[in-house]
Amino acid sequence: MNHQPIPSDSLACHDRSSENLWAARAISEHLNASAFCPEFATFSSQILGRCPRYVLASQTIRSTVLQKSSSQMRLQDGILMPWICLNTDNFVNILTFDIDHSCAREYLANIPAKIRPTLVEDPVSGRSHAFLSLRSPVYIGHEAHQKPQKLLWLSHQLMAAALDATPLPYKSLIKSPWAVAENLIGNLVPRKPSQNNRAALPDTSGSGGLKLLWRTVPGAGPSELRDVVSLLMPVWQNKIQKPAKIWLRYAEREPSSLGRNCSLFDQVRWWCYSGLVKDLREISAYAHQINRTFPAPLPGSEVEATARSICKFMNSRYCPAHGIKGFSMSFSAENLDTTQKQRESAQRTSMIKQQKSYDRIENALKAWPRKMPLTQPALALQTGLCERTIRRYWHVDWPTGLSVIISGSEGNLARSAHPLRQLRTLKELADAFEKDCLWLTYYGNHTGAQKKPGAEPDWPETPDDWLNTEVAWGYRHAEEATENALHRRDRRLKNKERSERRNRLIQAGKNNAISVRSEETDRIEQQFDELILRAEKEKWKPDIKKKLFFGRISSRKSIKRAYDEGISLRFSERCVSDRPDKEADSNYHVDEFSTSVGTRSPPAKGR
């Protein structure tokens, strides 16, 4: 199964919801939704207006074809596919559920209308998918807040319990309410037909002749997670897959009942969390104490392994929500007084702030705007730091060496410090950036000058080093422009030489100098003889030999044509000189002679 990645602009961009709303209205009109379900148009505009511009869709994910695949599509195209995912990697726009029974409508009727999800079911098997649109998308990406995610999980579990369904992962593909039957590749996987009456569902045939693949029961519009929890929690709290005790304190929780080792692990780790216990001996002693309360105690090796695992977590990764102020989690298990803790905490805080400043500077350098000088005020403006902070870092050695590439907002190649330079300070980076910009400006002007018609070839200067990729490419482009200018000059010289030979043959024809024609013919014959010998020696292709044969004939004709043109001019001048009325009859004699020697002349007036 092939999944193509979603592009970066597929994230939920709600500042452009007007574009998606327009798409929703256009598609709802295209499907003639009001002809078979009056609420479908309003439902589409409410849902699609909160979806990303690019979605993951599939035509084969649950069909009978062998090759399963899904790909990213524009929203206008993706919703017409049989299966679709309206969530992204970082945002959850809808909660999805898989209902593997044919009584979904009965369960749906028992849910309050304010938070009722949308049902999309297979008209043959009665199995369906349901989804609930969220009024506010939940961010689940890097450094996302935990409380919104917990509320999202709790709402997902409660709604799944109310529908007797399975909560699907956020990036799962579900049946699209707008799917058109003609977009399905292959056939649907056969399942056992439903025994329930399907007559109460709306017809899926629109007035425009379109056939929808699934049957849809529109639900409520975008809902709030707090409303879902408040309305479903009193009824379905005890029937969700995991106990809804994530909001309770450790003392109020019940250990896992899956086994003795799981119960031991929960009780010991909760005791460590509440008291910030990190000493292995204390953790081990308490673990053995809990183990003795079991009817059949665990072996000592398992207890010690559990204690070591909890101790390792407490000393390396545990971050309490409400801990001691100023307490650093990187401290060892040794007992430190308050002064030492504050000193180490201050040093750690300073290191964190310094690292954040480094990261902001590096991120600004990676996206440095084109044609903007790299100066201290400009860098302060791009990073959001004060100029004093930039001045403090300007001459300081970078922790890992400045190997960033200033890519700029235009162009694809580096424009300053290439990684091979391994610059140490921002001052060196600014100097390298300025020098490279000068080289690039020089090569750009040189390339433009060489591209002008009639420009004389002028080879560019070689850069000081080849460590910057774009400077090297600029030099290469300037070289290509110079080579093209050199080729154009050679063509001009050859055309000039060819014109001089032709004028010489015309003058020879006027002067009846047959030796000049013989000389040009011998020169052409010698050139083609050499080419033919070379072709035989190097075994050129037959079509090239054929071109040489016809080229020789064409060159002979060109020489003869130029020489005959000179002869025609000689006879025309002689005829004009013999007539007494030269001005009146000159055109007549020229036309008559030109016709006799095979040259074209303009027709006389009145003919």
Side-chain angles (χ1 to χ4, degrees):
M1 187 181 300
N2 302 323
H3 291 277
Q4 300 182 5
I6 302 296
S8 58
D9 66 339
S10 66
L11 298 179
C13 297
H14 302 283
D15 55 338
R16 299 189 182 183
S17 59
S18 59
E19 177 185 351
N20 295 336
L21 283 173
W22 174 87
R25 297 191 188 99
I27 294 170
S28 62
E29 292 176 3
H30 174 67
L31 293 177
N32 296 317
S34 59
F36 59 91
C37 185
E39 301 177 357
F40 209 73
T42 304
F43 156 77
S44 299
S45 62
Q46 291 177 348
I47 300 300
L48 297 179
R50 301 173 179 274
C51 296
R53 297 190 301 275
Y54 284 84
V55 295
L56 189 66
S58 174
Q59 298 174 270
T60 60
I61 199 70
R62 292 185 181 91
S63 64
T64 56
V65 297
L66 297 179
Q67 184 66 26
K68 314 288 186 180
S69 64
S70 60
S71 60
Q72 58 89 14
M73 300 181 185
R74 292 187 64 87
L75 178 64
Q76 293 89 330
D77 302 327
I79 63 174
L80 301 179
M81 299 298 115
W83 295 276
I84 191 174
C85 176
L86 298 179
N87 294 326
T88 63
D89 293 333
N90 295 329
F91 287 92
V92 177
N93 299 312
I94 62 172
L95 294 177
T96 55
F97 310 93
D98 182 21
I99 304 176
D100 200 18
H101 55 79
S102 58
C103 303
R105 284 184 296 155
E106 289 75 4
Y107 284 93
L108 197 67
N110 296 327
I111 297 177
K114 184 179 180 180
I115 58 170
R116 188 170 295 166
T118 299
L119 189 67
V120 186
E121 60 182 347
D122 186 350
V124 177
S125 64
R127 272 65 173 181
S128 57
H129 283 148
F131 67 89
L132 179 67
S133 177
L134 304 182
R135 186 178 300 276
S136 301
V138 179
Y139 178 67
I140 58 172
H142 180 61
E143 296 183 354
H145 295 290
Q146 293 295 322
K147 288 186 178 180
Q149 296 186 70
K150 292 179 179 179
L151 185 62
L152 179 70
W153 173 85
L154 184 58
S155 303
H156 205 182
Q157 298 294 329
L158 289 172
M159 186 61 72
L163 292 172
D164 193 16
T166 302
L168 294 176
Y170 301 137
K171 289 303 295 296
S172 299
L173 292 165
I174 63 172
K175 299 179 178 69
S176 174
W178 309 272
V180 180
E182 62 184 14
N183 288 336
L184 176 66
I185 298 179
N187 298 318
L188 294 175
V189 177
R191 304 185 69 174
K192 183 179 179 181
S194 172
Q195 301 297 329
N196 289 8
N197 184 14
R198 304 286 101 189
L201 288 174
D203 187 13
T204 57
S205 298
S207 60
L210 292 174
K211 181 72 174 180
L212 296 184
L213 186 60
W214 317 110
R215 292 185 176 181
T216 303
V217 179
S223 305
E224 291 285 353
L225 293 177
R226 299 182 185 276
D227 296 337
V228 176
V229 174
S230 61
L231 293 175
L232 299 182
M233 191 74 164
V235 181
W236 303 101
Q237 177 180 0
N238 298 327
K239 295 186 179 181
I240 60 177
Q241 294 182 2
K242 293 183 180 180
K245 297 182 180 180
I246 55 177
W247 314 104
L248 304 179
R249 301 297 298 170
Y250 299 123
E252 301 175 0
R253 296 188 181 184
E254 296 181 1
S256 175
S257 59
L258 297 178
R260 293 170 295 170
N261 51 355
C262 295
S263 177
L264 174 67
F265 178 74
D266 288 341
Q267 296 184 57
V268 175
R269 69 185 179 96
W270 290 341
W271 176 75
C272 293
Y273 295 164
S274 58
L276 294 176
V277 181
K278 297 185 177 183
D279 185 36
L280 178 59
R281 290 173 295 181
E282 296 182 14
I283 298 175
S284 179
Y286 186 77
H288 284 285
Q289 179 182 349
I290 297 297
N291 185 40
R292 286 193 291 269
T293 62
F294 296 149
L298 292 168
S301 58
E302 291 190 24
V303 177
E304 292 294 334
T306 303
R308 286 194 299 268
S309 176
I310 296 174
C311 180
K312 180 179 179 181
F313 176 80
M314 292 296 298
N315 286 278
S316 60
R317 299 179 59 186
Y318 179 63
C319 297
H322 304 282
I324 301 174
K325 292 184 179 181
F327 185 82
S328 174
M329 298 313 300
S330 61
F331 291 155
S332 62
E334 299 177 359
N335 294 327
L336 301 177
D337 56 16
T338 305
T339 304
Q340 292 176 332
K341 290 181 180 180
Q342 291 178 350
R343 185 185 301 111
E344 293 192 19
S345 298
Q347 294 177 358
R348 181 174 180 270
T349 302
S350 176
M351 292 176 58
I352 293 175
K353 292 178 63 177
Q354 187 178 24
Q355 185 61 41
K356 288 183 177 180
S357 300
Y358 284 144
D359 295 340
R360 294 173 72 174
I361 292 175
E362 289 185 358
N363 293 333
L365 293 176
K366 291 177 182 178
W368 192 256
R370 188 178 179 89
K371 298 181 180 179
M372 177 182 289
L374 182 57
T375 59
Q376 294 180 5
L379 186 58
L381 181 63
Q382 293 295 321
T383 58
L385 301 173
C386 64
E387 191 173 346
R388 182 179 178 181
T389 303
I390 299 298
R391 194 181 302 114
R392 185 168 65 251
Y393 289 124
W394 195 252
H395 297 281
V396 176
D397 288 349
W398 214 252
T400 57
L402 276 174
S403 59
V404 296
I405 297 178
I406 301 182
S407 59
S409 59
E410 300 177 10
N412 299 322
L413 298 176
R415 189 163 46 261
S416 184
H418 191 270
L420 294 177
R421 282 193 174 136
Q422 291 295 328
L423 303 176
R424 300 300 305 178
T425 64
L426 290 174
K427 181 66 170 61
E428 295 178 4
L429 179 64
D431 296 340
F433 179 80
E434 182 180 3
K435 182 179 66 174
D436 292 342
C437 287
L438 292 176
W439 277 113
L440 289 175
T441 303
Y442 165 73
Y443 289 136
N445 297 335
H446 186 277
T447 302
Q450 292 297 307
K451 289 183 177 180
K452 294 181 179 179
E456 288 296 326
D458 183 19
W459 294 101
E461 297 182 7
T462 306
D464 297 336
D465 55 58
W466 304 96
L467 299 180
N468 189 338
T469 310
E470 192 173 356
V471 171
W473 276 108
Y475 174 75
R476 179 55 187 153
H477 293 330
E479 275 190 333
E480 291 179 353
T482 305
E483 292 173 357
N484 295 333
L486 187 63
H487 294 332
R488 291 196 301 270
R489 188 188 67 175
D490 293 343
R491 286 196 297 269
R492 291 197 303 269
L493 294 177
K494 289 182 180 179
N495 292 335
K496 183 178 179 180
E497 182 181 358
R498 191 180 295 111
S499 179
E500 291 176 354
R501 288 199 187 101
R502 185 174 182 277
N503 293 334
R504 183 186 176 194
L505 286 171
I506 293 174
Q507 194 66 26
K510 292 175 63 175
N511 299 332
N512 199 17
I514 192 67
S515 60
V516 177
R517 176 181 174 179
S518 301
E519 179 182 351
E520 288 294 326
T521 304
D522 293 342
R523 185 182 64 83
I524 292 297
E525 293 292 338
Q526 182 179 1
Q527 289 182 356
F528 276 96
D529 288 340
E530 293 176 357
L531 289 174
I532 291 174
L533 290 176
R534 183 181 174 186
E536 294 293 340
K537 183 178 180 181
E538 298 180 2
K539 296 181 181 181
W540 290 359
K541 295 181 179 180
D543 56 343
I544 300 180
K545 297 179 182 179
K546 186 177 180 180
K547 290 181 180 179
L548 290 176
F549 174 76
F550 287 105
R552 169 180 282 184
I553 296 176
S554 177
S555 300
R556 292 173 182 172
K557 289 182 178 180
S558 299
I559 295 174
K560 182 179 182 300
R561 192 180 301 112
Y563 189 80
D564 291 344
E565 185 177 351
I567 295 176
S568 65
L569 292 175
R570 177 163 56 88
F571 277 97
S572 64
E573 291 176 358
R574 182 183 299 176
C575 292
V576 171
S577 63
D578 293 342
R579 298 279 298 183
D581 190 6
K582 299 179 181 179
E583 294 182 359
D585 299 338
S586 60
N587 292 335
Y588 172 77
H589 288 286
V590 171
D591 293 343
E592 182 181 5
F593 181 77
S594 300
T595 305
S596 64
V597 296
T599 58
R600 299 182 60 185
S601 60
K605 295 182 179 180
R607 295 185 181 181

